[in-house]
Amino acid sequence: MQGKQFVFSLLTCTLCLSAVPVVSPALNIAAAASPAYKITYKLPANPEKYLFLNVQMVSLANPQTPATVREYPIKQYLVDSTGNLDHYKLEFDDNRKFVTSKKGFLWNFYQMIGIFPPAYPASGKLAELDRQIDTLDGYSPEGLQARKARAELELNARIQPLIHAGYVKPEEIDDGIATREFVAMVFYRAFKDVRPYHGGIDLKDSENEAVRWAVESGLPGFPVDSKGFVFPQSPLDLEPGEKNFPETYAYDRVFQFVQLILPGKKTASGWAYYQVKLLPGMAPVQPREIISVNGKPFAEGAENYSIEQTNEYQNASRKIAQHFIQRFPQLLEQARKDALKPRVWDWSRDVIHHPIFAKQVAAYRKNKSSQNLNAVYQAVRAHYNLSIRQDSAANVKSVLDNVK
């Protein structure tokens, strides 16, 4: 279908979604950085799409009260499970392998939920293991065995409540990588009632509703390439394409998105939104997403990263940051609303021939006035979660003029 050429747009690592615009002037600001380069930027009319946020940047007025009172972090689990008391020399790689695995993902998913009591055995075996580990030589066969047994109990205590809640099935759990399909299915089972799937995501390589839901919701780690492939058996990644080597960043980002943009607080009565306040000194944007060097996006020039230390770049960054900080409550509210909307996938199907836009489309095609164009544009923005590339009057005009 001709409209499909406009369809695919890559989701970036931001927590931004689509948009009814926050009204703000589109300001052009330029500073001569040196004879060799020029730094410019344009403050976006839809800044919520550029929103970047993680839990370390905010305070929560309604934090989760975890049911787990026993202190046992992933770091200790890795020491116990590997039997390597010198684990800290290998901490980065061991942590990467675990948090990108199915069991590691489920561990962090359990921690995110927070309110499920751990399913420890009633036999008191855990206390006995703790005693043995405190008294035995850590390098002895008995000490290593006790540590591994404790790690297994702690892991099972976190996975069993998720099985009981129906978020994961026992036959789905193994020692493999947490693929896009696996992650999508766990999140979809948890959130499909508060964030249902609207449909219309026509992936070339997956009919799995959970995967399509993840793409529609804008979950980080599920980028679709220009041909419509998501590669569901690949690990999470912020760049499109088939991947074999898992990295932790996309797994971190997907949890940040779910907690802060979706209603990610589990309560006894369902899911609720966290009440979020930006911490002092935190800017909910990455200026490099907005700044240009010599008229080209900052990210397109690998050599540009040396420019970040210049006074010109820092001044521009501060002004961009202040613009976002002042608008943060409205940006977060809009991003949350947009996360619940459907996506434009096929412009012909989703806009040109969609009955809710029929009147506006017909009016534009009759006289092609800027007023009629804006009416279509605003109606589409209000209904859909548009990507950055889709969200412009110029793009909508191109669709109206060229898509049948």
Side-chain angles (χ1 to χ4, degrees):
M1 198 173 290
Q2 184 179 0
K4 289 182 182 291
Q5 64 182 308
F6 298 97
V7 167
F8 305 110
S9 57
L10 308 180
L11 301 177
T12 68
C13 64
T14 60
L15 294 186
C16 60
L17 303 167
S18 77
V20 173
V22 173
V23 178
S24 62
L27 302 178
N28 285 294
I29 302 169
S34 81
Y37 59 84
K38 186 177 182 180
I39 290 176
T40 59
Y41 67 89
K42 182 177 181 179
L43 294 174
N46 49 355
E48 66 279 359
K49 294 185 185 296
Y50 295 84
L51 187 65
F52 182 90
L53 207 58
N54 60 46
V55 295
Q56 289 77 35
M57 296 168 62
V58 300
S59 62
L60 304 177
N62 58 335
Q64 187 64 278
T65 302
T68 304
V69 295
R70 176 183 168 87
E71 185 70 20
Y72 192 81
I74 284 181
K75 183 178 291 187
Q76 186 60 54
Y77 168 82
L78 293 174
V79 171
D80 288 349
S81 63
T82 61
N84 182 8
L85 302 187
D86 297 323
H87 153 76
Y88 302 106
K89 296 179 181 179
L90 304 170
E91 180 177 348
F92 178 83
D93 194 51
D94 286 348
N95 182 73
R96 178 190 62 79
K97 290 177 182 177
F98 182 64
V99 301
T100 61
S101 71
K102 291 180 179 179
K103 292 177 180 178
F105 169 79
L106 292 174
W107 180 298
N108 281 324
F109 185 71
Y110 170 85
Q111 295 297 111
M112 185 198 79
I113 290 175
I115 66 170
F116 290 159
Y120 291 124
S123 63
K125 186 177 180 181
L126 191 59
E128 174 61 20
L129 287 172
D130 286 341
R131 186 194 64 78
Q132 291 180 28
I133 290 167
D134 289 340
T135 58
L136 290 170
D137 178 357
Y139 291 96
S140 68
E142 295 80 10
L144 294 174
Q145 183 178 1
R147 284 185 178 278
K148 290 184 178 182
R150 181 171 69 178
E152 188 70 16
L153 283 178
E154 292 282 6
L155 179 62
N156 288 337
R158 288 157 174 78
I159 291 179
Q160 285 302 315
L162 303 180
I163 295 173
H164 181 73
Y167 298 152
V168 65
K169 298 177 181 179
E171 61 269 22
E172 295 170 341
I173 304 170
D174 54 38
D175 294 323
I177 291 172
T179 64
R180 288 168 177 161
E181 182 170 288
F182 179 83
V183 170
M185 290 179 69
V186 174
F187 277 130
Y188 185 48
R189 288 165 182 158
F191 290 99
K192 63 182 179 181
D193 290 336
V194 294
R195 201 296 177 194
Y197 176 55
H198 297 289
I201 304 297
D202 299 328
L203 298 172
K204 294 289 182 62
D205 55 350
S206 179
E207 295 184 2
N208 184 292
E209 186 166 292
V211 174
R212 295 184 174 207
W213 171 87
V215 171
E216 182 183 72
S217 302
L219 264 63
F222 292 82
V224 181
D225 71 12
S226 60
K227 296 180 180 179
F229 291 87
V230 71
F231 300 99
Q233 298 311 313
S234 287
L236 300 191
D237 197 274
L238 300 181
E239 298 297 327
E242 188 172 13
K243 307 293 180 180
N244 296 314
F245 188 79
E247 297 287 359
T248 61
Y249 187 67
Y251 291 83
D252 292 338
R253 295 306 299 162
V254 76
F255 278 107
Q256 307 286 352
F257 179 94
V258 170
Q259 288 178 279
L260 299 176
I261 303 300
L262 293 184
K265 181 182 179 181
K266 182 69 171 176
T267 71
S269 58
W271 295 95
Y273 284 108
Y274 279 108
Q275 298 172 23
V276 176
K277 184 177 180 180
L278 196 65
L279 289 173
M282 294 291 122
V285 63
Q286 293 183 310
R288 67 182 59 174
E289 296 291 327
I290 296 172
I291 288 176
S292 296
V293 178
N294 293 336
K296 295 183 179 180
F298 179 89
E300 290 185 4
E303 71 281 1
N304 288 343
Y305 291 95
S306 62
I307 299 174
E308 286 184 295
Q309 306 308 316
T310 65
N311 289 335
E312 291 80 10
Y313 184 94
Q314 293 299 319
N315 288 338
S317 293
R318 281 191 290 270
K319 292 176 182 178
I320 293 170
Q322 191 59 36
H323 180 78
F324 276 74
I325 291 169
Q326 292 174 350
R327 293 160 176 77
F328 175 69
Q330 294 84 5
L331 301 186
L332 180 61
E333 180 182 5
Q334 188 60 55
R336 287 175 166 180
K337 289 179 180 178
D338 292 337
L340 305 180
K341 297 177 182 177
R343 294 267 182 178
V344 172
W345 198 257
D346 182 306
W347 286 98
S348 178
R349 179 195 66 192
D350 298 337
V351 174
I352 301 300
H353 295 288
H354 196 300
I356 69 170
F357 305 116
K359 183 177 179 180
Q360 293 97 325
V361 169
Y364 170 79
R365 287 184 163 176
K366 182 178 180 180
N367 55 39
K368 297 194 174 183
S369 72
S370 58
Q371 182 178 358
N372 291 127
L373 171 62
N374 190 57
V376 179
Y377 176 41
Q378 295 302 332
V380 172
R381 298 183 99 199
H383 184 74
Y384 288 114
N385 179 4
L386 298 177
S387 70
I388 291 174
R389 292 183 181 182
Q390 292 172 329
D391 186 19
S392 71
N395 182 63
V396 172
K397 183 179 187 303
S398 179
V399 169
L400 294 170
D401 291 345
N402 296 287
V403 178
K404 302 298 183 183

